[in-house]
Amino acid sequence: AMYWSGSELSPIDNIQTKSLTAYCDWRLDKKGKLLSFTYNNFKKDDNEQTSCWRATIPNDTPKALNIDKNNVDYHIQSGRVDLTLPFSFVTIDAGASYTSIRNQVNSQYDQEFNNPSKESEYLEKAKTAYLSLHHDWNRFSIKAGLRYEHIGLDRELFYDKVVIPTMSTYSSSSSVSISDKVFSRDYWLPSLGFSVKPKDGHQIGLTWGTSTIRPNFYDLNPLAISKTVYDYVSGNPGLLPSRMSNIELSYQNHHGFYASAYHHHTSNVVEQRTHFSIYPQYDSFTFTETENGDRSNQTGFYLRYQYQLTRNILVTFEDEIYYHDYRAWTDDIPNLYGWGHRHS
């Protein structure tokens, strides 16, 4: 028989979002010394339901096979302090911050094969501190910085094993409870930059820096969201942050022209991988999970030109050509490389 299937996503209740931001600037003197405090509190309660159905062609009544009900509760709190100390020989910027990210997830899946449930909570704590020194001469400037990050992630997970038919057998449906520290890592992130103005209206810069890229909430949520009856996507609360290093040589002028040659290197790349299994009595089954990859490199050349056509209209032309090289974490996945081009 021939089948068609589909899905729809609908909110169960109104999405509730609460946010609070408080800040204070304290001028220490009249020469530009400044002490700043910032506090943020963000809370979001998101409820939604995904329904999937299947029917034979041409006249069968659609039958709902998967109904996924998800409740996601985010709570983010952060506080930071920043200090700026300008002196005649150097300007010092320093600061520290603390961020707490808690995410609670409750899911109930009404499926054709089983009715599993999942409850999870992860708590991420990030402590950071930075120091930056820079000085400007008449036509030359230099800036150096160092940033420290400590990121820790704790996880509690309770779920009923989803029955996933494989080539010939079914997995068990017992419950699993996990409570562990996913990771605790320290990152030292230096940066260095130079710029020179050969003449008025022209500037050449050379920068090098490192940074971390935190996975987004969608990639971290361990929700099995059905796309069709036999196809779903899921996040991964155990993802590690990606780390990027970047070097760039740039030129810009007062006529609106900007050009740069760059190289990016990223390790622990966050990506989605699709896995395949086979139902004994139905068609192929696929599930896509978010995982950490190995590394990627991109080298390219970027051009931009901006022209103020009228007082309210700014015209921008962009063009970029690059070479991308992705190295997979396992020999089972082929490496990807090649040239790319984009313009607008």
Side-chain angles (χ1 to χ4, degrees):
M2 297 181 62
Y3 296 94
W4 65 270
S5 63
S7 65
E8 63 179 1
L9 176 66
S10 58
I12 298 176
D13 298 311
N14 293 330
I15 299 175
Q16 299 181 5
T17 302
K18 301 177 182 179
S19 63
L20 171 67
T21 299
Y23 62 91
C24 175
D25 293 335
W26 182 15
R27 298 188 179 276
L28 303 179
D29 61 13
K30 296 182 179 180
K31 298 181 179 180
K33 295 183 176 65
L34 180 67
L35 183 63
S36 301
F37 301 92
T38 306
Y39 172 75
N40 290 284
N41 191 316
F42 177 83
K43 185 176 176 61
K44 182 178 180 181
D45 191 6
D46 190 358
N47 302 298
E48 63 184 24
Q49 174 176 300
T50 303
S51 301
C52 292
W53 59 87
R54 178 175 62 88
T56 57
I57 296 175
N59 54 9
D60 191 14
T61 302
K63 176 184 179 182
L65 299 181
N66 293 14
I67 301 177
D68 309 334
K69 299 178 181 179
N70 302 312
N71 173 261
V72 183
D73 182 12
Y74 306 108
H75 191 190
I76 305 173
Q77 295 188 84
S78 66
R80 62 178 297 162
V81 56
D82 298 283
L83 177 64
T84 300
L85 299 174
F87 299 101
S88 59
F89 58 94
V90 68
T91 297
I92 302 174
D93 291 303
S97 68
Y98 175 79
T99 303
S100 171
I101 302 175
R102 179 187 58 78
N103 187 19
Q104 291 180 321
V105 179
N106 295 285
S107 303
Q108 178 66 48
Y109 309 107
D110 297 326
Q111 299 179 338
E112 181 183 18
F113 298 99
N114 50 190
N115 297 288
S117 64
K118 179 184 293 185
E119 297 180 7
S120 68
E121 177 177 353
Y122 64 80
L123 177 63
E124 178 181 322
K125 298 179 181 179
K127 304 172 185 178
T128 67
Y130 74 91
L131 176 66
S132 175
L133 309 174
H134 68 273
H135 183 73
D136 296 326
W137 288 271
N138 186 25
R139 294 190 177 274
F140 180 76
S141 65
I142 183 173
K143 183 175 182 179
L146 180 63
R147 180 181 177 88
Y148 166 75
E149 294 184 4
H150 173 81
I151 301 177
L153 178 62
D154 297 327
R155 174 184 62 177
E156 292 186 0
L157 181 63
F158 177 82
Y159 66 95
D160 299 325
K161 282 187 177 180
V162 180
V163 176
I164 300 178
T166 59
M167 293 294 292
S168 59
T169 62
Y170 290 83
S171 63
S172 63
S173 58
S174 60
S175 298
V176 176
S177 179
I178 299 174
S179 180
D180 61 359
K181 179 177 288 295
V182 180
F183 67 85
S184 178
R185 295 197 175 186
D186 298 311
Y187 298 91
W188 295 93
L189 308 169
S191 61
L192 184 63
F194 306 90
S195 67
V196 60
K197 297 179 181 178
K199 59 181 181 179
D200 292 341
H202 300 263
Q203 180 174 304
I204 299 173
L206 177 63
T207 58
W208 170 79
T210 56
S211 61
T212 58
I213 305 173
R214 183 188 181 278
N216 59 49
F217 280 123
Y218 181 82
D219 291 334
L220 288 168
N221 283 335
L223 304 178
I225 300 177
S226 300
K227 296 300 183 181
T228 64
V229 177
Y230 305 126
D231 179 17
Y232 76 87
V233 297
S234 176
N236 180 3
L239 289 174
L240 296 174
S242 302
R243 180 164 181 171
M244 173 182 282
S245 60
N246 173 66
I247 186 169
E248 181 179 9
L249 176 64
S250 63
Y251 165 78
Q252 59 182 325
N253 60 33
H254 62 285
H255 297 296
F257 179 79
Y258 177 86
S260 71
Y262 65 86
H263 176 76
H264 303 319
H265 173 78
T266 307
S267 57
N268 267 338
V269 179
V270 174
E271 60 189 10
Q272 289 189 331
R273 296 198 182 106
T274 300
H275 305 267
F276 296 87
S277 183
I278 301 296
Y279 279 102
Q281 68 273 48
Y282 294 113
D283 298 327
S284 61
F285 172 84
T286 65
F287 60 99
T288 302
E289 293 183 316
T290 308
E291 302 174 12
N292 282 111
D294 195 356
R295 63 187 186 276
S296 69
N297 294 281
Q298 182 169 311
T299 303
F301 186 70
Y302 172 77
L303 292 173
R304 183 185 68 225
Y305 177 71
Q306 292 182 320
Y307 178 71
Q308 193 73 44
L309 187 62
T310 67
R311 182 178 179 181
N312 298 319
I313 300 177
L314 177 65
V315 180
T316 301
F317 300 94
E318 292 181 298
D319 194 86
E320 181 180 10
I321 184 170
Y322 58 88
Y323 181 81
H324 188 82
D325 180 12
Y326 172 80
R327 301 291 175 176
W329 64 281
T330 175
D331 294 335
D332 297 334
I333 302 176
N335 298 324
L336 302 176
Y337 52 89
W339 289 93
H341 177 252
R342 72 174 185 92
H343 60 87
S344 62

